[in-house]
């Protein structure tokens, strides 16, 4: 009945059961944080009608099933944290119409397929974390036009091919994690033009050749 509530933070507790669909009654809600609880089941569809939501954090629970395509209803969403759950299947293409998204964390799930090239639609994205899933294939070249990216984490997947030299397009990049994949060939010297980079992890791949001189 708290119709005027704009911020609800129940994170870091031991709440369990399913996420109640009645949360949809909080029509003014802008931020919902249920991180680090014991919630199970799927994301209730009713939750996806909270049109004012700008930040949604559901990480570190036991949520499962597919990531619901209807997340695209949350047109004001800037931050979406779904990490450390049991989500399966591929990233729904509808998710890639959330034009205001600046922070997307889908790490530590069981998502598979290829990384969708349509992620390039998220032109405001500053942080993308797909660590520890089951993604295959190469890094889509379209991803390398996300000019606002400062943090890109793709470690612990089954990505292969060469590390794309066009990563140099990401001029704002500070953190790049590509470890524990199947990348081959040499380290592209173009990476040395990422002047803002402070953290680079290429460990546990199949890279060869010489380490490029600084």
């Amino acid at each position: 009945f708290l119709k005027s509530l704009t911020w609800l933070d129940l994170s870091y507790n031991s709440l369990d059961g399913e996420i109640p669909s009645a949360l949809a009654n909080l029509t003014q809600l802008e931020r919902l944080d249920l991180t680090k609880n014991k919630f199970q089941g799927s994301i209730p569809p009713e939750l996806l009608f909270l049109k004012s939501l700008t930040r949604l954090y559901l990480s570190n629970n036991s949520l499962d099933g597919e990531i619901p395509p209807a997340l695209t209803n949350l047109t004001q969403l800037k931050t979406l944290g779904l990490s450390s759950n049991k989500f399966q299947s591929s990233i729904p293409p509808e998710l890639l119409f959330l034009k205001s998204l600046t922070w997307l964390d889908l790490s530590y799930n069981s998502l598979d397929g290829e990384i969708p090239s349509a992620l390039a639609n998220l032109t405001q994205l500053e942080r993308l974390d797909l660590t520890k899933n089951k993604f295959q294939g190469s890094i889509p070249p379209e991803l390398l036009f996300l000019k606002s990216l400062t943090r890109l984490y793709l470690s612990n997947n089954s990505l292969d091919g060469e590390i794309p030299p066009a990563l140099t397009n990401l001029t704002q990049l500070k953190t790049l994690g590509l470890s524990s994949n199947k990348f081959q060939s040499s380290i592209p010297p173009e990476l040395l033009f990422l002047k803002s980079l402070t953290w680079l992890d290429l460990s546990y791949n199949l890279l060869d050749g010489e380490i490029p001189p600084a």
Side-chain angles (χ1 to χ4, degrees):
F1 297 98
L2 299 172
K3 298 287 190 181
S4 300
L5 205 64
T6 61
W7 185 319
L8 178 59
D9 187 348
L10 302 174
S11 61
Y12 292 85
N13 283 288
S14 296
L15 301 171
D16 56 20
E18 297 190 349
I19 296 174
S21 59
L23 283 170
N25 294 328
L26 305 177
T27 55
Q28 304 304 309
L29 209 58
E30 297 175 6
R31 174 174 174 149
L32 175 61
D33 194 344
L34 303 179
T35 301
K36 192 66 174 168
N37 279 286
K38 298 178 181 178
F39 289 114
Q40 300 175 340
S42 57
I43 298 175
E46 295 85 355
L47 203 66
L48 308 178
F49 290 96
L50 291 172
K51 299 286 191 179
S52 298
L53 267 187
T54 62
R55 289 172 174 80
L56 176 60
Y57 303 100
L58 303 177
S59 296
N60 291 90
N61 283 285
S62 294
L63 301 174
D64 56 22
E66 298 185 7
I67 294 175
L71 274 165
T72 192
N73 293 335
L74 306 179
T75 55
Q76 306 303 310
L77 207 60
K78 294 181 178 180
T79 302
L80 177 60
L82 300 180
S83 67
S84 299
N85 280 289
K86 300 177 182 178
F87 291 115
Q88 299 176 344
S89 193
S90 55
I91 297 176
E94 292 84 354
L95 193 66
L96 310 177
F97 290 98
L98 294 173
K99 301 287 191 179
S100 299
L101 213 58
T102 62
W103 194 89
L104 176 60
D105 188 350
L106 304 178
S107 62
Y108 290 85
N109 281 288
S110 295
L111 300 171
D112 56 22
E114 296 190 349
I115 295 174
S117 59
L119 277 168
N121 294 333
L122 305 179
T123 56
Q124 305 303 310
L125 208 59
E126 297 173 7
R127 174 177 171 146
L128 174 62
D129 195 342
L130 303 180
T131 301
K132 192 64 174 165
N133 279 285
K134 299 178 180 179
F135 291 112
Q136 301 174 338
S138 57
I139 298 176
E142 294 84 355
L143 201 66
L144 309 178
F145 290 97
L146 291 172
K147 299 288 191 179
S148 298
L149 266 188
T150 62
R151 290 171 174 80
L152 176 60
Y153 303 99
L154 303 177
S155 296
N156 289 90
N157 283 285
S158 294
L159 301 174
D160 55 24
E162 297 184 8
I163 294 175
L167 276 164
T168 191
N169 292 336
L170 305 179
T171 55
Q172 305 303 310
L173 206 60
K174 295 180 179 179
T175 302
L176 176 59
L178 301 180
S179 67
S180 299
N181 281 289
K182 300 176 182 178
F183 291 115
Q184 299 175 347
S185 192
S186 57
I187 299 174
E190 288 85 353
L191 284 187
L192 304 178
F193 293 100
L194 292 172
K195 300 296 187 184
S196 298
L197 207 62
T198 61
W199 189 89
L200 173 63
D201 190 352
L202 306 179
S203 62
Y204 295 94
N205 280 288
L206 302 171
L207 300 169
D208 57 22
E210 295 184 357
I211 296 174

